[in-house]
Amino acid sequence: MNNAIYNFLLPQNETVLEYKKSSWERKQLETELQKQLEHPIDIPLIIGGKEVRTKQTGQVSMPHRHSHVLATYYKATEKEVNMAIEAALEAHRIWADLSWTVRASILLKAAELISGKYRAVMNAATMLGQSKNIYQAEIDAVCETIDFLKFNAYFASRIYRMQPNSAFNQLNKMEFRPLEGFVFTVSPFNFTSIASNLNMAPVMMGNTTVWKPATTALLSNFYLMKVFQEAGLPDGVINFIPGSGALIGNTVLESPHLAGIHFTGSNQTFNFLWQEVSAQLFRYISYPRLIGETGGKNFIMVHPTASPKEVAVNAFRGAFEFQGQKCSAVSRMYVPVSLWSEIKAELIRMSKDARMGEVIDPMNFINAVIDEGSFDNCMNYIRYAETSADAEIIAGGHGDKSTGYFVEPTIIVTTNPNFKTMEEEIFGPVLTIYVFEDDKLEETVRICNSTSPYGLTGAVFFRDRLAAATMCEQLRYAAGNFYLNDKPTGAIVGLQPFGGSRASGTNDKAGGEFNLIRWVSPRTIKETFQPDTEYRYNYMME
């Protein structure tokens, strides 16, 4: 029997490779990109470790060249959803009782596989399937995925270390049980790493999952599933079931064994899940844990002492990296009139300079939005601004979906701080700016705080540190991740646990202990060495 107490040290974040022309990583990536372009694959369901194919199929196409098919996938029917639930419950019996260090070793092996053997595979799949450029794929599909896996093993060790004190004549201990039942995981298209973490965070704590991946991220998500299997994940611990969100969700919600939902996506979908769970509480053997990260209408507030160049560069990157398809992307900015001319000139310069096109060309900073629905949504907001008396488009404003779903980085300036594009989430490359009089700073901060229902990320740019402290206090609930002199995107696992409240979710902070502890149901155990043998109190026996 191995009764050692393992010591998991604080991990180092995965190094982001540079992919310069002559580098080995660039050559490997180019080879893998060509391979995935030329050889479409078959994506089955994976239930109980077995590949399952149904009569219903769909295709995975590239957003930047939508005529090119990367894969054919199979869709779950109600039968396969119920099979996945049964497989998850069956696997739970073994997985829940397994030593947590064995579970950790599987996560750590998966991290090593992605760092080496599958680095190019994960990057290429994310680039082609989700239209991310090299850098955006590397920091997501590889580095952040690895960081989640390694840090979750470390965070779990800290949780399991939390034990109560014991006293004379007793031994007290805390058992961190996984939830009773299965966890339903619903992952988005925009981050491969989120798809991994939505499953592997509860899995690390002994849970099993039924996974509904986003149809527009199936290529990278399927490769993730294969990596988990190669790392030693037992059959049925994660069950991979692409298909209709409505069909899968409705079937899952009817199971009395639903123990939790781990979700990243739209407010509308999360609100629906929450309402349906509430309406069906009578079904469940325990109250399901609902952990969700939803939308954002993220801001930059500029103080008159800020550096115009720093503001412009960080606003541009924060708004237009990955075409603004990040929950944390900058979508609205408040600029004092004294700095506006310099900031405006720099934003327009970068907009003209940044190239847009396919991910295969590494010089393209802007790629395609994820699908036609996203393209049409972005263009509808842009057309609304074009025809409004309250707004002016100073950069971008055009789109083309003839070969790929390309929307130019678009900058709107409005005279109305409550303009439609200042309030509503767009989830695309559209930034709206409100220019205010310098002496109206305090009023504008109040407007910023109350404009949006969301509370995910925000940033303040300044040189006056005392003024920044005041704004930070005034905007306390406006953002769950708050940045000083930095773009409000790019949270790193282990450094900035991520999540927001208000309409942005449950703020359970992926990338920290907060999230993992939601996936356990603690049991306190007290053992008494010499039980009482007399019912009367001592003073009653005098």
Side-chain angles (χ1 to χ4, degrees), residues 140 256 516:
D140 162 30
L516 289 185

Short mmCIF file of all heavy atoms in Angstrom, two decimals, residues 140 256 516:
data_model
loop_
_atom_site.label_atom_id
_atom_site.label_comp_id
_atom_site.label_asym_id
_atom_site.label_seq_id
_atom_site.Cartn_x
_atom_site.Cartn_y
_atom_site.Cartn_z
N ASP A 140 -4.35 29.79 -26.12
CA ASP A 140 -5.60 29.15 -25.71
C ASP A 140 -5.48 27.64 -25.70
O ASP A 140 -5.44 27.00 -24.65
CB ASP A 140 -6.73 29.60 -26.65
CG ASP A 140 -7.95 28.69 -26.59
OD1 ASP A 140 -8.21 28.10 -25.53
OD2 ASP A 140 -8.66 28.59 -27.61
N PRO A 256 -32.98 12.44 -12.78
CA PRO A 256 -32.90 12.73 -11.34
C PRO A 256 -31.47 12.76 -10.83
O PRO A 256 -31.21 13.25 -9.73
CB PRO A 256 -33.68 11.56 -10.71
CG PRO A 256 -33.65 10.48 -11.73
CD PRO A 256 -33.64 11.15 -13.06
N LEU A 516 -13.04 24.74 -8.20
CA LEU A 516 -12.93 23.33 -7.86
C LEU A 516 -13.77 22.95 -6.64
O LEU A 516 -14.34 21.86 -6.58
CB LEU A 516 -11.47 22.96 -7.60
CG LEU A 516 -10.52 22.91 -8.80
CD1 LEU A 516 -9.16 22.42 -8.36
CD2 LEU A 516 -11.06 22.02 -9.90
#
